[in-house]
Amino acid sequence: MEPVVPLPLDPSTLGSLTASAKDYAVLSGLAYLTDDPGDNTDLVSFAPFALLPSPVPRALFDQARAVQQDFNLLVHRVSHDRAFLTRCLSSVVKVDHFTAALFHIYEQVQEEGVTQSICLGLHRSDYLFDTNNNAVIGTKLNGVTANRELQLKQTEINTIAAAGAGFGEKIASVHKHVLSLLGITNAYKHIPENRALDSQVDGFVAAWEQYGSQKAIIVFVVEEERCRNVFGQRLSEFTVMERHPSITVRRYSLKQIAEDAELKSDKTLFIHGSEVAVVYFRTGYSPDHYPTEKEWIARLKIERSRAIKCPCISYHLAGTKKVQQELAQPGVLEKFLEDPKAVSRVRATFVGQHTLEMGLEGDRTVQMAMRCPEDYVMKPQREGGGNNIYGEDIRTVINKLKGSEERTAYIIMDLICPTVVQNYLMRPGDRPKLQGSSCELGIFGVFMADGDQVLHNKQGGHCLRTNHSSTTAEGGITVGNAVMDSPYLV
Ligand code: ADP
Ligand code: MG
């Protein structure tokens, strides 16, 4: 696709633009802790970002927003189907110790009886703009004519630690400023309103109110060490308290919760004398987040409590790659969504996903991936970027695992080939680099239900992350290889 202005920019324009944009970014809250070789945790820089917004087809953007409530409902229904979750994950838990430990907590609370029927979901559904054009051109989707060349294709839905709401919202004003410096005065027509942070905060407040205790607090579960992306978390935390001064948000690590939180006999959770209404996980989705038994004790303690969890363990499990692969099989969505239009909206965003279960079907996947590994991505049950396997590495890994049950820890997904656009990627301490980049659009979902009764189901704004296209397809701004961006609708 074509960039929003002809590139490259002349050096003097680029110089003054980048200086303004960096300062504007910091002033907007787009900040990161820098990697400091010493122990200084006070060093702050701007968070990596794209100098210009990236073009995004308006029809695909609308399509992504229009399907979010369906995804919210889908996650909820899937998470409440114990037989389905158990069946999907039965092979994975035999070989993947991390998923097994999560599943064990799930089973334990199911057996004890779930003490909190209210679930809060703050999800993010991620999409690439696919150039693999094998669908009928110009078909109508939800009344919107699909883009002639590109298709919206989901990479995954995140049900835990779906970061990026704060930065996603803030970067738009940096980009409007940059465009006005370039003399583009109608940017407001192209840069869509983004209430990602506010929508997320609406979710926290709604859950806190639903819990129904004026004195209770919201706990953000965070990493032990101050993490690079602390400011993204702080934006959410401070906005809750600003919007609703009677709510206190406190940050604790899993270790602190293991040591200091108390579960009363009625399953009320207390920490340092405060009752906990809502627990929001910004950690806990990777094996590294559980270095000792203590972190697992904390996770179980939270799960058994009356606090509203975001996410509860069943939402976490519903977001695993294996469950997403199963949902992509023919006939499965229909079990969870009664509206055929919702089913087609969701299915239209899927690419093929293939099982590696032991048996004929899994063997077929092995053969297919071995034949053309460059057409697939191999994914383990992990979150946070950097875990996927591509190309020739798929062959190597499958060769090692193909006859063993270990292969069932992974799924195989068709490779999406995202469109490439030029942009200047800005990273602290580095000159702006003009690079061919691909964008991943994240749409936030805010959902709350009490059992089967849906209390809140919203599409909650967006974020765009842009990545140098010659690196692997991996995004994940917090692992340092994608930058924040915003969509410029075309
Ligand atoms: P994680 O949970 O680690 O974020 P993802 O499924 O989101 O796992 O994959 C990580 C990154 O890999 C994505 O951000 C995207 O850039 C890339 N990716 C994922 N699935 C595909 C796919 N099917 N085709 C191309 N790239 C993909
Ligand atoms: Mg991801």
Side-chain angles (χ1 to χ4, degrees), residues 302-314:
I302 294 166
E303 211 52 47
R304 295 177 68 208
S305 79
R306 277 186 51 230
I308 298 173
K309 277 76 67 179
C310 180
C312 53
I313 195 86
S314 55

Side-chain angles (χ1 to χ4, degrees), residues 166-478:
F167 285 3
E169 183 173 314
K170 302 290 178 193
I171 182 80
S173 40
V174 179
H175 281 152
K176 282 181 191 155
H177 180 71
V178 165
L179 293 183
S180 76
L181 290 174
L182 285 168
I184 299 171
T185 50
N186 65 349
Y188 65 93
K189 284 191 186 156
H190 296 276
I191 296 186
E193 191 195 35
N194 190 7
R195 289 190 63 249
L197 184 58
D198 265 350
S199 307
Q200 189 191 55
V201 169
D202 288 345
F204 287 129
V205 172
W208 180 85
E209 283 173 347
Q210 200 66 32
Y211 184 85
S213 166
Q214 284 295 315
K215 283 196 229 120
I217 62 168
I218 296 179
V219 167
F220 279 24
V221 185
V222 295
E223 286 170 51
E224 194 81 22
E225 305 287 327
R226 239 157 89 85
C227 76
R228 293 181 71 191
N229 188 28
V230 64
F231 302 108
Q233 301 169 356
R234 289 292 201 189
L235 277 171
S236 306
E237 185 184 329
F238 297 161
T239 310
V240 171
M241 293 178 66
E242 225 171 77
R243 283 257 310 275
H244 213 304
S246 49
I247 304 179
T248 300
V249 178
R250 295 222 192 95
R251 299 159 63 83
Y252 293 107
S253 66
L254 284 169
K255 183 160 170 259
Q256 285 173 307
I257 291 169
E259 288 169 356
D260 299 343
E262 193 190 344
L263 199 56
K264 302 282 185 193
S265 56
D266 68 350
K267 301 286 173 69
T268 308
L269 187 68
F270 273 83
I271 186 155
H272 297 164
S274 297
E275 182 175 354
V276 181
V278 180
V279 179
Y280 174 53
F281 287 94
R282 289 306 302 260
T283 181
Y285 53 87
S286 158
D288 308 345
H289 301 159
Y290 300 83
T292 69
E293 202 45 39
K294 275 195 175 162
E295 287 76 18
W296 286 112
I297 290 170
R299 185 77 195 259
L300 178 62
K301 196 188 282 184
I302 294 166
E303 211 52 47
R304 295 177 68 208
S305 79
R306 277 186 51 230
I308 298 173
K309 277 76 67 179
C310 180
C312 53
I313 195 86
S314 55
Y315 272 29
H316 186 167
L317 291 171
T320 52
K321 307 287 189 279
K322 180 62 192 171
V323 168
Q324 297 188 40
Q325 177 259 308
E326 288 292 334
L327 289 174
Q329 302 316 301
V332 179
L333 288 177
E334 284 82 351
K335 291 188 196 149
F336 298 105
L337 299 171
E338 59 278 8
D339 177 2
K341 287 199 186 116
V343 169
S344 13
R345 280 192 294 264
V346 169
R347 193 165 281 142
T349 69
F350 284 173
V351 294
Q353 297 208 43
H354 315 276
T355 183
L356 281 169
E357 301 265 335
M358 302 312 285
L360 269 183
E361 219 188 320
D363 290 346
R364 267 201 297 272
T365 305
V366 164
Q367 283 164 12
M368 185 187 80
M370 290 297 275
R371 231 180 359 253
C372 299
E374 62 285 357
D375 291 345
Y376 302 100
V377 184
M378 187 171 178
K379 297 187 178 184
Q381 312 305 310
R382 292 291 178 271
E383 298 294 328
N387 300 300
N388 293 345
I389 301 163
Y390 299 90
E392 204 45 47
D393 293 343
I394 296 182
R395 269 208 187 114
T396 313
V397 174
I398 290 192
N399 256 329
K400 254 193 249 151
L401 304 180
K402 63 183 174 195
S404 103
E405 287 200 344
E406 300 288 319
R407 79 184 197 195
T408 64
Y410 299 84
I411 59 105
I412 296 273
M413 184 173 184
D414 292 353
L415 189 79
I416 304 166
C417 297
T419 179
V420 173
V421 61
Q422 295 287 308
N423 207 330
Y424 287 99
L425 306 192
M426 313 269 299
R427 299 178 196 278
D430 210 352
R431 286 148 47 107
K433 284 208 180 87
L434 182 59
Q435 292 179 313
S437 315
S438 56
C439 302
E440 189 161 5
L441 175 67
I443 302 287
F444 294 100
V446 184
F447 185 90
M448 186 167 60
D450 186 352
D452 290 339
Q453 195 198 350
V454 176
L455 304 171
H456 190 104
N457 184 3
K458 301 265 166 66
Q459 174 273 112
H462 57 271
C463 69
L464 193 74
R465 289 166 305 153
T466 290
N467 211 4
H468 177 21
S469 66
S470 77
T471 60
T472 69
E474 292 280 282
I477 182 154
T478 47

